[in-house]
Amino acid sequence: MKWMILLLVLLISCAPATQEIIAKPAIQIQPETPKTAPQPVLQPEVKAPAVQPPAPVTAPSPQLTPLQECVGMCQENCKATAQNACTQKERSTCKAVCGDSPTIDPSACTQACTYITQPNQCKVMMEQFCSANCVKQCH
């Protein structure tokens, strides 16, 4: 049996060795670099210094006399009262708001509030009635 193994080893070692070498073409794999557009070179933005326009030249406002100041404030109050009174839903609330102003006569309130359904007309009348009493109020 030993002879047999030796004989097999001898046969195997003498057998023509055919080793196939398959040559594959060499592929060079290069990592793909993403193709991007060239980045623009940013330049610092040069800004002109902020120049403020010259302040408009206005003539100094003349000093108002105390009477003029009082009449002006009274008329502003008349506008506010007319706005509040004439935007009410009912005539009674219009009269109540109007009656809170000492400048307007109660009969003028009643007359202006009859136009509660026409708020603009109501406001105009109430402002006129009220403004007419501003000079008397400020004396």
Side-chain angles (χ1 to χ4, degrees):
M1 178 120 138
K2 282 184 186 180
W3 287 103
M4 208 75 74
I5 294 177
L6 273 173
L7 185 60
L8 280 174
V9 171
L10 184 64
L11 281 175
I12 292 175
S13 64
C14 291
T18 58
Q19 183 177 9
E20 287 186 33
I21 298 177
I22 300 176
K24 292 185 180 180
I27 299 175
Q28 294 180 348
I29 299 176
Q30 296 177 351
E32 275 191 43
T33 56
K35 295 181 182 180
T36 58
Q39 295 294 327
V41 178
L42 299 176
Q43 298 293 330
E45 186 176 322
V46 178
K47 293 183 180 180
V51 177
Q52 294 184 356
V57 179
T58 57
S61 60
Q63 293 293 333
L64 298 176
T65 65
L67 177 63
Q68 291 171 329
E69 286 181 17
C70 177
V71 169
M73 287 184 6
C74 178
Q75 289 175 343
E76 289 299 314
N77 288 339
C78 288
K79 287 181 182 180
T81 300
Q83 173 68 29
N84 289 337
C86 293
T87 55
Q88 299 300 314
K89 302 261 187 234
E90 296 179 12
R91 189 180 302 169
S92 60
T93 51
C94 174
K95 288 180 190 176
V97 172
C98 178
D100 289 342
S101 173
T103 312
I104 303 175
D105 186 73
S107 63
C109 284
T110 302
Q111 188 175 352
C113 287
T114 58
Y115 292 96
I116 195 73
T117 58
Q118 300 170 8
N120 289 333
Q121 182 65 30
C122 175
K123 287 178 197 175
V124 169
M125 290 180 73
M126 197 172 293
E127 285 178 29
Q128 287 175 351
F129 294 146
C130 182
S131 295
N133 292 326
C134 282
V135 175
K136 287 187 238 172
Q137 176 106 13
C138 290
H139 271 292

